[in-house]
Amino acid sequence: MTENSQAQPAANPELPTQYAPAEVEGKLYERWVERGYFEADEKSGKPPYTIVIPPPNVTGSLHLGHAFEHTIIDALTRRKRMQGYETLWQPGMDHAGIATQNVVERELAKEGKSRHDLGREAFVERVWQWKEESGGQISGQMRRLGDGVAWSRERFTMDEGLSAAVQTIFKRLFDDGLIYRAERIINWCPRCLTAISDIEVEYQDDDGELVSIKYGDGDGTLVVATTRAETMLGDTAVAVHPDDERYAHLVGRRIKLPLTDRTIPVVADTHVDPEFGTGAVKVTPAHDPNDFEIGRRHDLPNVTVMDERAVITTPGPFQGLDRYEARSAIVAALRAEGRIVAEKRPYVHSVGHCSRCKTTVEPRLSLQWWVKVETLAKAAGDAVRDGRVTIHPKEMESRYFAWIDNLNDWNISRQLWWGHRIPVWHGPNGETVCVGPNDEPPTGEGWHQDTDVLDTWFSSGLWPFSTLGWPEQTPSLEKFYPNSVLVTGYDILFFWVARMMMFGLYAMDGTPPFHTIALHGMVRDEHGKKMSKTFGNVVNPLDWMDKYGADAVRFTLARGANPGVDVPIGEDWVQGSRNFANKVWNATRFAMMNGATVEGPLPDAERMSATDRWILSRLNETVAQVDALYEDYQFAKLSDALFHFAWDEVFDWYVELSKTTFFAGGEQADVSGRVLGEVLDVTLRLLHPIVPFVTETLWTTLTGKESVVVADWPSDSGFRDQAAEREIEHLQQVVTEVRRFRADQGLQSGQKVPGRLDLSATPLAAHEAAIRQVLRLQAAGEDFHATATLPVAGARVELDLSGTIDVPAERKRLTKDRDAAEKEKQQAVAKLGNEAFLAKAPDNVVDKIRGRLSKAEADIERITAQLAALPES
């Protein structure tokens, strides 16, 4: 523990009787911001600790996933700040190209306009206007949660500095031959009219149709199956496996493509699975990524049959139909020619949809800009393999390698107007000039800038260093790069994380962007189901914060945060966390009213009671345990350790056991008051990173100091007292057994009964008054009559229950319960003794019956003991 050398008596030890989060949270946060606690100074001599916020979309609002991730990051940075680090939690937002453009286009649609009515420049101006007026509401919501970010350093992926960074790295990659332009198959959204990244494609099972079509005639017949009959207009081959003897005679021949005047070759390719379907597949290189690769291997032409809106462009009867109209018309035409061999409807299959507008994605051959990733991806893999970057939990490494080692070239161009425009100019004679941030673009007749913009992940991939001023060699870059840790969901390990790794290593001379990648899971509902508007189980964390306070939401999320594992959460759990915050409040208030103080040094151990030494020993053990769990990113375990230490050991045991000392007053009360003050001081500091608001209010009132935000993080002083721990464990055993007996007799927890204690055979004689206090035992008067005797852990406890319970009624109730347990036992024994039943019953059924037998026997033993302990009626 850290010595509280500057501790002073609390200026005002009075606290309101109840904790009201809504009355304190906003005021506390603004005070923290005004005092600059969250700002970072690159000139300080403190060691740096840097975390970037995964930049939320400017269109977004705080959802439970954000709240979960931000709670983890905030806890890490608050602890490091208390440990004496110069902490930087870098805030900012992503321009979210396609999402933001869609939002503004919807606004325009309400006015009866499209972006084309405005033109590119005016539309982009309109988006900037929307961003200033409506974007970024998430910033205010982050304040509600208590995010300790350096607001003065807030960045936006399209601000001036980050735009310069984007242009700089694009030109470097271009000049190094790592950016090129080529036709490839991409994910195309016919509604957004742009290529989209893999992460922007959501797959779901849709009802479709599977039709089997006969190609060719006579001995040149092949049957292929497809869910996208409209693409057959762009077929340029049929492929079979080279070893498939059924079609060996056809390889190299040309067959008639139905509904067209074309013939197409039959090619042999190992990509084809001879065991799947008929073993023959149609090849449409311009509309399928696998077919495109087959086409490249066999030098097949690419025939595009749909335009950017998925409307058929092939001359003939289907021209002008959209893809779904064409699908029906083509199947009908094939059926009329007798070429439909089989039809299956509905045929449920996985279909990709645009995550923004939910339109079915169309694979499409398109001229796009690409990053050649081979060397970049190898560097990103090597950085993890050689230990420069650690992935936590370690089992996620295999997923990272599976992705990074097999990464395809990255399509970075988007056919949007909002975003970083490709910094390339095209000349009248096919010239291509890449322009850096300090270069003058070429001018003259026929020169124009590329119309595409960059994938959002391109600019967010620069986030760990562009936010620090790169490409300028700024003091912030020198101080805070590389980041200490990246905290993010495993779901974007392959997208954002991989891109940051590639760009960081490339731009920063082989220095990775962070030392550790700490991956967390997804927040799910209390039943483990994915949260979705479709399922109706989406929760707005602001509603819970309004109802229970930010601390309750944060603590609930932290208690579920096991590394790399999804987090179930329900409102009942938030209520439980609210109860914990109230318990901390009420217990601290009681303690401060009854002698808890931080004034002066801790008394010498010989002046302390065993109870005092026990709680200090447990406190130091908890400090050590919490520290170790923080270093391992085990938030669920450290939160649970803090919960049980604070609620169980401090409030339910130490405070209760110390009440008799406080009530008696005198020197021992002063000693215990100082011990309790120390325990509260340290416990509140340990809790602060996760529940910052309630701990700030209590700690500043207890200590009279400025703020727990800038207090020292507790350290393990090394104090341990195993003898005291064993002694109090012995005491707890006695108390727990007597409490259990009282509960079994139907006594209320606060109900007092006369009792006699014999502790002579135990080391607990000095604790008699405390034991009586917690067990609500009155002194045994002259009329005391022991109606129950309990030998417990070497102690002897006699209770007089006459007058406290209705003995005949209790005996009747217990007898009925025992009879029911006997009946349950007999039924279980009969089933387990039936060989015919055992031979047929599944193992899990037999195990369940054995469990019922075991429980019934335990119930009989327990109830029999309770009946024996009842006084004679």
Side-chain angles (χ1 to χ4, degrees):
M1 295 171 292
T2 302
E3 186 64 37
N4 231 327
S5 58
Q6 300 179 9
Q8 299 174 359
N12 178 16
E14 295 296 324
L15 288 166
T17 55
Q18 291 184 325
Y19 177 51
E23 295 178 12
V24 301
E25 291 179 349
K27 296 175 184 176
L28 284 181
Y29 188 83
E30 289 310 313
R31 188 166 72 199
W32 293 335
V33 173
E34 288 169 6
R35 292 180 177 178
Y37 292 153
F38 305 141
E39 295 303 324
D41 181 6
E42 60 264 16
K43 297 178 182 177
S44 82
K46 298 177 182 179
Y49 186 80
T50 317
I51 297 182
V52 295
I53 189 174
N57 288 353
V58 69
T59 58
S61 59
L62 191 75
H63 56 63
L64 268 179
H66 288 127
F68 173 56
E69 187 168 78
H70 290 200
T71 294
I72 294 174
I73 300 175
D74 197 36
L76 288 170
T77 52
R78 284 179 182 269
R79 173 174 174 262
K80 286 296 183 180
R81 185 180 296 111
M82 295 171 75
Q83 286 182 314
Y85 286 79
E86 192 63 40
T87 60
L88 169 59
W89 183 7
Q90 173 67 54
M93 283 180 290
D94 193 289
H95 65 279
I98 191 169
T100 306
Q101 179 157 318
N102 279 347
V103 168
V104 179
E105 285 196 85
R106 283 196 295 269
E107 293 294 316
L108 284 174
K110 295 176 184 176
E111 304 170 14
K113 298 178 181 177
S114 74
R115 60 182 163 123
H116 299 284
D117 294 324
L118 273 66
R120 183 167 192 146
E121 287 188 16
F123 176 78
V124 171
E125 259 183 59
R126 180 71 175 260
V127 181
W128 275 109
Q129 180 184 342
W130 176 89
K131 187 262 181 186
E132 295 304 319
E133 294 175 357
S134 308
Q137 62 173 315
I138 200 168
S139 296
Q141 296 164 345
M142 287 165 59
R143 293 171 183 263
R144 285 285 312 280
L145 188 64
D147 287 1
V149 300
W151 286 113
S152 70
R153 294 172 174 263
E154 187 174 10
R155 304 303 299 268
F156 180 56
T157 51
M158 280 186 62
D159 67 30
E160 186 177 347
L162 269 64
S163 294
V166 167
Q167 281 186 271
T168 299
I169 200 161
F170 187 100
K171 182 166 175 54
R172 289 188 186 180
L173 289 164
F174 185 89
D175 291 346
D176 286 346
L178 296 176
I179 284 182
Y180 65 95
R181 199 178 189 212
E183 279 196 324
R184 297 283 188 275
I185 294 287
I186 43 86
N187 303 306
W188 181 264
C189 176
R191 155 62 184 79
C192 300
L193 300 181
T194 181
I196 58 177
S197 67
D198 291 340
I199 198 172
E200 292 166 322
V201 178
E202 293 180 348
Y203 287 90
Q204 66 184 48
D205 287 342
D206 286 356
D207 287 345
E209 61 180 357
L210 180 68
V211 293
S212 298
I213 308 168
K214 182 174 66 174
Y215 281 30
D217 296 295
D219 67 349
T221 297
L222 284 168
V223 175
V224 300
T226 182
T227 58
R228 300 163 66 215
E230 67 278 10
T231 64
M232 67 161 292
L233 299 175
D235 287 357
T236 55
V238 173
V240 298
H241 193 276
D243 299 332
D244 194 333
E245 295 181 358
R246 293 173 296 175
Y247 306 119
H249 66 289
L250 291 176
V251 174
R253 288 177 56 179
R254 300 185 71 86
I255 60 174
K256 180 78 165 49
L257 177 64
L259 305 183
T260 74
D261 57 2
R262 292 192 291 122
T263 61
I264 56 176
V266 178
V267 300
D269 196 280
T270 55
H271 171 76
V272 180
D273 180 0
E275 302 298 323
F276 183 77
T278 64
V281 297
K282 58 192 288 296
V283 182
T284 321
H287 293 277
D288 183 275
N290 293 320
D291 293 3
F292 178 76
E293 295 303 324
I294 294 175
R296 291 178 69 179
R297 287 192 289 272
H298 298 275
D299 198 24
L300 299 174
N302 300 314
V303 177
T304 300
V305 299
M306 279 180 271
D307 67 11
E308 60 190 12
R309 297 182 186 275
V311 172
I312 300 298
T313 57
T314 303
F318 311 112
Q319 187 174 15
L321 300 180
D322 75 25
R323 52 185 164 169
Y324 300 118
E325 294 170 335
R327 183 176 301 171
S328 298
I330 287 172
V331 170
L334 289 167
R335 191 183 299 115
E337 289 191 3
R339 290 194 174 274
I340 299 295
V341 176
E343 298 178 68
K344 184 176 182 181
R345 295 187 185 88
Y347 178 72
V348 179
H349 61 137
S350 182
V351 177
H353 296 261
C354 173
S355 63
R356 302 302 176 189
C357 68
K358 311 308 176 187
T359 301
T360 299
V361 169
E362 189 67 38
R364 184 170 189 261
L365 186 64
S366 180
L367 181 63
Q368 301 282 340
W369 289 95
W370 304 81
V371 172
K372 191 179 296 184
V373 300
E374 183 178 2
T375 57
L376 301 174
K378 182 180 184 304
D382 290 345
V384 174
R385 286 189 171 92
D386 63 25
R388 282 175 290 158
V389 177
T390 300
I391 294 179
H392 189 90
K394 189 173 178 59
E395 54 265 27
M396 287 286 181
E397 278 188 4
S398 59
R399 296 180 64 177
Y400 175 78
F401 291 135
W403 174 263
I404 207 74
D405 293 345
N406 297 284
L407 200 57
N408 295 319
D409 285 358
W410 171 19
N411 168 216
I412 57 171
S413 47
R414 299 291 178 265
Q415 290 64 54
L416 303 171
W417 287 357
W418 172 248
H420 292 282
R421 197 162 171 182
I422 301 280
V424 170
W425 268 252
H426 302 286
N429 299 311
E431 304 96 329
T432 299
V433 175
C434 183
V435 175
N438 299 316
D439 300 333
E440 288 292 330
T443 58
E445 186 177 350
W447 282 95
H448 65 279
Q449 187 176 357
D450 198 284
T451 57
D452 288 352
V453 299
L454 287 164
D455 177 12
T456 298
W457 296 104
F458 191 95
S459 51
S460 61
L462 313 180
W463 194 247
F465 52 93
S466 63
T467 51
L468 298 173
W470 187 91
E472 301 299 323
Q473 296 303 305
T474 64
S476 288
L477 189 65
E478 184 177 353
K479 175 79 172 182
F480 295 112
Y481 187 90
N483 291 189
S484 305
V485 60
L486 173 75
V487 178
T488 192
Y490 64 70
D491 57 318
I492 56 174
L493 173 66
F494 313 133
F495 304 102
W496 187 46
V497 179
R499 281 143 177 71
M500 284 190 292
M501 286 285 283
M502 291 191 295
F503 279 172
L505 289 159
Y506 174 78
M508 301 301 292
D509 300 321
T511 302
F514 19 73
H515 297 302
T516 301
I517 302 169
L519 298 171
H520 59 73
M522 312 301 293
V523 178
R524 297 181 176 272
D525 72 11
E526 57 194 308
H527 306 294
K529 196 172 184 178
K530 179 181 177 181
M531 288 192 174
S532 163
K533 291 179 181 178
T534 304
F535 300 147
N537 61 352
V538 174
V539 173
N540 183 348
L542 296 176
D543 293 340
W544 281 353
M545 284 190 268
D546 289 341
K547 200 170 181 181
Y548 306 109
D551 284 334
V553 174
R554 290 170 63 115
F555 196 66
T556 304
L557 291 165
R559 288 194 77 181
N562 288 299
V565 178
D566 288 346
V567 183
I569 184 173
E571 187 168 0
D572 288 350
W573 306 340
V574 185
Q575 290 177 352
S577 294
R578 186 270 315 273
N579 295 343
F580 175 65
N582 288 341
K583 179 79 169 181
V584 174
W585 180 274
N586 294 333
T588 303
R589 182 175 179 273
F590 172 85
M592 291 171 63
M593 292 172 61
N594 289 274
T597 178
V598 295
E599 185 177 6
L602 277 173
D604 294 336
E606 52 267 22
R607 294 177 58 202
M608 298 179 192
S609 67
T611 310
D612 295 333
R613 298 193 304 276
W614 163 74
I615 196 62
L616 289 176
S617 183
R618 292 296 308 131
L619 177 64
N620 277 285
E621 181 60 37
T622 301
V623 171
Q625 182 183 10
V626 167
D627 272 335
L629 292 170
Y630 259 114
E631 296 304 315
D632 200 32
Y633 303 97
Q634 296 281 357
F635 284 90
K637 290 182 180 178
L638 73 87
S639 299
D640 219 42
L642 286 169
F643 174 88
H644 289 295
F645 175 72
W647 191 307
D648 300 343
E649 297 186 288
V650 178
F651 304 141
D652 279 359
W653 283 107
Y654 182 72
V655 170
E656 289 296 319
L657 291 173
S658 300
K659 282 182 178 178
T660 54
T661 302
F662 291 138
F663 296 160
E667 181 183 353
Q668 190 56 51
D670 292 339
V671 170
S672 292
R674 179 64 190 91
V675 169
L676 180 53
E678 181 75 6
V679 171
L680 290 175
D681 170 21
V682 173
T683 302
L684 291 171
R685 282 186 280 150
L686 287 174
L687 283 167
H688 172 72
I690 298 173
V691 284
F693 295 107
V694 68
T695 52
E696 171 80 341
T697 306
L698 294 174
W699 189 86
T700 53
T701 305
L702 171 69
T703 66
K705 289 186 172 183
E706 178 186 346
S707 174
V708 69
V709 177
V710 290
D712 290 339
W713 179 253
S715 58
D716 177 7
S717 71
F719 178 83
R720 299 289 193 281
D721 192 325
Q722 299 299 326
E725 291 200 36
R726 287 192 296 272
E727 188 171 322
I728 300 305
E729 285 171 8
H730 195 160
L731 180 153
Q732 290 172 326
Q733 187 178 359
V734 171
V735 170
T736 300
E737 289 301 318
V738 176
R739 279 177 170 168
R740 183 177 294 118
F741 175 78
R742 284 173 53 103
D744 288 342
Q745 302 307 314
L747 297 177
Q748 298 298 315
S749 59
Q751 187 174 352
K752 294 183 179 181
V753 296
R756 185 179 291 144
L757 284 175
D758 180 2
L759 303 171
S760 57
T762 74
L764 304 179
H767 300 282
E768 180 168 350
I771 293 173
R772 284 185 172 278
Q773 165 68 29
V774 297
L775 286 176
R776 307 297 188 262
L777 296 183
Q778 297 174 321
E782 291 183 2
D783 58 347
F784 179 83
H785 176 62
T787 60
T789 301
L790 305 173
V792 181
R796 182 181 175 86
V797 184
E798 297 177 340
L799 303 176
D800 184 355
L801 302 180
S802 56
T804 60
I805 59 174
D806 183 341
V807 175
E810 186 66 13
R811 187 178 297 281
K812 182 177 180 181
R813 181 184 71 82
L814 289 172
T815 301
K816 183 179 178 181
D817 288 348
R818 186 173 64 180
D819 290 346
E822 289 280 8
K823 183 177 180 181
E824 178 74 8
K825 176 183 176 181
Q826 291 169 7
Q827 291 175 344
V829 168
K831 284 190 175 182
L832 293 173
N834 185 332
E835 294 296 333
F837 170 77
L838 293 177
K840 296 179 180 179
D843 290 345
N844 65 316
V845 173
V846 175
D847 289 343
K848 187 175 181 180
I849 294 172
R850 289 193 179 113
R852 285 165 50 189
L853 174 60
S854 178
K855 182 179 183 303
E857 290 174 339
D859 287 345
I860 292 167
E861 183 179 354
R862 174 178 56 80
I863 296 169
T864 300
Q866 291 175 26
L867 284 166
L870 284 175
E872 294 297 326
S873 55

